[in-house]
Amino acid sequence: PVGVVPVMADTTCCIAASYEAKRRGVTTGTQVGEAKKRCPDIALVEARHELYVQYHHRLRAAVESRIPVDAVASIDELACTLTGSWREAERARAVALEVRAAVTEVGEHIGCSIGIAPNRFLAKMASKMDKPRGLRILDDADIPQALFGLELGDLTGIGRRMCARLQGAGIDTVEQLYA
């Protein structure tokens, strides 16, 4: 388990956590002192922003070698639009696999999860459904049922406080929210 921190101090928080750390209750925002309690063998690594930016540019170039990038949502999230025949399921899957191969060329231990859906929000949700290194395609026939198995807090934009507000209004599931 690995946690990335801005400085080496128990009073700061993890700004990223490996999947192994997440399985043991350490997530982004977990205070370092608490992370050490939940996961005594966690390896803490100090963030190296300049290196992340270099990799971000290399990864973006790798993706753009296969498909144009429409938007950069964060240092590790890109959005692309499929148009015309690129929207056909087999062609979309093929370009997604090409993107994944291009990302692996940047670094053999670097992976990506890819979501393909009718809009950017649903594509982001699709990419979160099969982490790590997943590929999920949601088409119109899959929606909204494909989302019903998710927790409210799994939806992008619904944090702890919004989840509490929704539950206070009697909305406990994604299906209830959709309705």
Side-chain angles (χ1 to χ4, degrees), residues 91-174:
R91 182 119 190 244
R93 181 178 302 282
V95 76
L97 294 175
E98 288 178 24
V99 166
R100 177 176 293 142
V103 165
T104 303
E105 290 172 16
V106 173
E108 65 179 298
H109 297 292
I110 297 176
C112 63
S113 296
I114 299 172
I116 299 172
N119 63 48
R120 194 172 290 168
F121 172 80
L122 291 170
K124 181 172 177 73
M125 295 310 308
S127 76
K128 291 170 72 171
M129 292 172 146
D130 282 333
K131 284 193 173 276
R133 294 181 164 92
L135 168 58
R136 175 68 66 100
I137 298 175
L138 297 178
D139 60 28
D140 291 332
D142 298 321
I143 302 163
Q145 292 78 12
L147 303 176
F148 290 169
L150 300 175
E151 301 290 326
L152 286 171
D154 293 336
L155 296 178
T156 298
I158 298 184
R160 183 179 41 84
R161 291 187 355 195
M162 178 55 75
C163 194
R165 288 178 62 194
L166 289 168
Q167 289 172 334
I171 299 171
D172 296 306
T173 66
V174 173

